[in-house]
Amino acid sequence: MMQSATLPRIVVVGGGAGGLELASRLGNKLGRRKKAQITLVDCSLTHLWKPLLHEVAAGALDAHEDELDYLAQASWRGFEFRLGRFEALDRERKQLRLAPTLSDDGSVIIPPRTIPYDILVIAIGSVTNDFGIVGVREHCTFLDNRDEADQFQRRLLESFMRAQTLETSPAGQLNVAIVGAGATGVELAAELHHVARLFVAYGFDRIDPEKDVKLTIIEAADRILPALPERIAKPAERELKRLNVTIHTGKRVTQVTRAGLHTHDGLFIPAAHKVWAAGIKAPDFLRDIGGLETNRLNQLVVRQTLQTTRDDDIFALGDCASCPRPGYERPVPPTAQAAHQQASMLVRSLTRKIRGKSLPLYIYRDYGSLVSLSEYTAVGNLMGNLTGDIRLEGWLARVVYRSLYRMHQTALYGALRTALLVIADFLTRPTRPRTKLH
């Protein structure tokens, strides 16, 4: 490849945590030095760290203040950005096809086009899995992207405005039911509890959060946070119950209607606002795309090198990839820390590949898990070779939790710019409301 008259073309599809980190670091290492042409493709113009979406949905975070512009990042970090939605793959010609980009009125902004590649990295993340349950798509909100989170926040704010101003308003219009007690569901419930009280502080004084706002979590497993150790789940459950969040475990939702949710054992949970956070899968269009091997969750099956099983020039990382984990029955978990680790390894791997060298094997390292319960507390554990397993709770856990986002920013912006962002956030915080009010 290095003997070619043109530079090797590395195309990264998906500007999430892993894809954007990879493109940024490859741009610095290879793009700026004219050793490869790096291109990032995404269907949006901006990036927001996905673990923050529950804060956007609750109104605790204004996405406009934390979003990153792909075009600006490309200019700063030495790669090219192309706007478009990945829809098809031609492995023989080594081309990927992008769907047309449309305006709000349906007119074509950018026509369909193809992008050639020598090395392709697919990092398109995941979407919510509704498991085919009746009514979920029609009546539940998903938190797959910023638009969905913003939409939920607007509807919630409108409900509070109606409850504040109308003499007679529908009963239960402020009730929120969250299906899925993973990290997203648990963190969202705590944020909504906090935001409801901030609304009252900012003038919604006709609302009594203790009586008028009912938060409910429904989980099919026998406890909340089923993917995390029980020693983390127990203090999180205690805190949620202290906040008067109703928790139903061992309940499978079988149908969702406009009025609420039905479970397998006949329970009906009324709720005006319904959030589905019960599982993930890769996007449906990815199934068998280009003849590549996928699993039942539409994830691309990869080897430990992160190369797809049927094409050595196509890699996948993050939630859309099913990567083996030696010694474990299940593959690498779909977490932000896994995507970060995979992106870091692929910077080395792709550099070695264009030089014709062998590729390293990815080994997942679990550094622990943290769950934030809004301004109240955080719980989790840190794992390492020297520290072992350290349980964290309270303010220290919150500090560590927030530092994860700063680490993501550092990978994108560098240490200096991230430090400036931290200072700017500290200085401007007193001038902003503590929740979004528009």
Side-chain angles (χ1 to χ4, degrees):
M1 201 175 292
M2 290 299 292
Q3 296 175 353
S4 174
T6 60
L7 293 176
R9 297 164 298 187
I10 301 176
V11 177
V12 181
V13 181
L20 182 57
E21 285 189 22
L22 176 61
S24 297
R25 296 178 65 176
L26 286 174
N28 263 358
K29 188 171 185 177
L30 301 176
R32 289 187 181 281
R33 299 175 184 180
K34 305 301 181 184
K35 293 183 178 181
Q37 177 185 331
I38 313 300
T39 302
L40 175 67
V41 176
D42 197 272
C43 59
S44 174
L45 286 169
T46 60
H47 162 83
L48 184 71
W49 198 44
K50 195 169 183 178
L52 295 178
L53 285 177
H54 72 279
E55 296 188 29
V56 177
L61 176 71
D62 189 339
H64 292 283
E65 298 174 358
D66 280 77
E67 65 183 354
L68 173 149
D69 291 292
Y70 287 125
L71 285 168
Q73 181 74 359
S75 175
W76 293 328
R77 300 302 292 268
F79 65 88
E80 297 180 352
F81 173 71
R82 294 291 178 265
L83 178 67
R85 187 178 299 277
F86 178 35
E87 68 172 6
L89 175 64
D90 186 338
R91 288 168 52 203
E92 291 186 3
R93 297 182 180 179
K94 286 199 165 186
Q95 294 179 341
L96 57 97
R97 189 172 78 235
L98 304 184
T101 301
L102 307 178
S103 65
D104 291 338
D105 62 7
S107 60
V108 176
I109 301 174
I110 307 174
R113 60 212 184 279
T114 59
I115 295 181
Y117 68 87
D118 295 308
I119 299 173
L120 175 63
V121 183
I122 301 176
I124 59 176
S126 60
V127 295
T128 301
N129 192 347
D130 65 2
F131 303 101
I133 296 173
V134 176
V136 173
R137 290 278 167 188
E138 294 81 2
H139 303 293
C140 289
T141 296
F142 300 155
L143 298 182
D144 291 331
N145 53 57
R146 174 193 157 179
D147 288 341
E148 292 172 342
D150 281 336
Q151 186 180 56
F152 178 82
Q153 186 271 334
R154 287 194 298 270
R155 288 202 300 262
L156 186 69
L157 178 59
E158 289 167 359
S159 294
F160 272 83
M161 294 171 65
R162 281 194 297 268
Q164 171 69 17
T165 57
L166 297 181
E167 291 297 331
T168 58
S169 54
Q173 66 173 324
L174 303 181
N175 293 353
V176 182
I178 303 167
V179 183
T184 298
V186 167
E187 291 178 332
L188 176 62
E191 287 292 353
L192 290 172
H193 182 278
H194 180 59
V195 166
R197 280 136 189 85
L198 289 178
F199 279 150
V200 175
Y202 283 117
F204 291 81
D205 52 359
R206 293 184 57 190
I207 298 171
D208 183 348
E210 300 298 332
K211 297 179 180 179
D212 299 328
V213 181
K214 184 176 179 58
L215 303 174
T216 304
I217 293 178
I218 306 100
E219 169 59 47
D222 59 0
R223 64 174 176 86
I224 70 169
L225 301 173
L228 301 182
E230 191 170 357
R231 62 182 177 277
I232 298 177
K234 282 186 175 180
E237 184 172 358
R238 284 198 303 268
E239 182 65 19
L240 288 176
K241 288 181 176 179
R242 188 186 70 82
L243 300 177
N244 292 324
V245 176
T246 302
I247 300 174
H248 294 290
T249 55
K251 304 284 187 184
R252 288 185 295 104
V253 174
T254 56
Q255 183 181 4
V256 182
T257 65
R258 184 180 181 85
L261 307 101
H262 298 266
T263 66
H264 74 286
D265 55 359
L267 178 66
F268 176 71
I269 302 168
H273 303 280
K274 296 163 283 290
V275 179
W276 191 270
I280 64 168
K281 64 178 181 178
D284 290 337
F285 83 89
L286 206 60
R287 178 176 294 278
D288 302 321
I289 190 169
L292 297 176
E293 181 183 2
T294 54
N295 64 12
R296 62 183 181 83
L297 296 177
N298 306 328
Q299 294 172 308
L300 292 164
V301 180
V302 299
R303 303 189 290 272
Q304 272 192 271
T305 56
L306 301 182
Q307 293 168 296
T308 54
T309 55
R310 297 174 183 169
D311 195 321
D312 288 348
D313 292 329
I314 299 180
F315 296 73
L317 69 88
D319 291 3
C320 72
S322 177
C323 179
R325 190 180 181 190
Y328 294 82
E329 293 183 5
R330 295 187 177 184
V332 173
T335 62
Q337 66 170 309
H340 170 74
Q341 293 172 22
Q342 291 168 347
S344 296
M345 190 195 81
L346 279 180
V347 174
R348 302 190 304 273
S349 298
L350 301 187
T351 302
R352 292 180 64 87
K353 184 171 176 60
I354 64 176
R355 294 174 179 170
K357 297 183 178 181
S358 61
L359 304 184
L361 301 180
Y362 172 64
I363 299 175
Y364 173 67
R365 292 175 173 82
D366 187 355
Y367 293 112
S369 303
L370 289 165
V371 177
S372 173
L373 300 177
S374 189
E375 298 294 324
Y376 305 111
T377 187
V379 296
N381 68 325
L382 296 180
M383 300 171 64
N385 295 331
L386 298 178
T387 60
D389 187 346
I390 300 177
R391 176 179 162 183
L392 296 178
E393 190 171 348
W395 68 270
L396 180 59
R398 281 191 52 75
V399 171
V400 176
Y401 180 88
R402 298 307 298 181
S403 72
L404 299 178
Y405 179 45
R406 298 306 182 186
M407 291 171 60
H408 174 63
Q409 289 182 310
T410 301
L412 300 180
Y413 300 125
L416 177 59
R417 289 184 62 202
T418 301
L420 294 175
L421 287 171
V422 172
I423 294 171
D425 182 60
F426 176 77
L427 293 177
T428 59
R429 188 177 304 166
T431 67
R432 305 192 304 264
R434 294 172 63 192
T435 187
K436 190 177 179 184
L437 298 169
H438 62 280

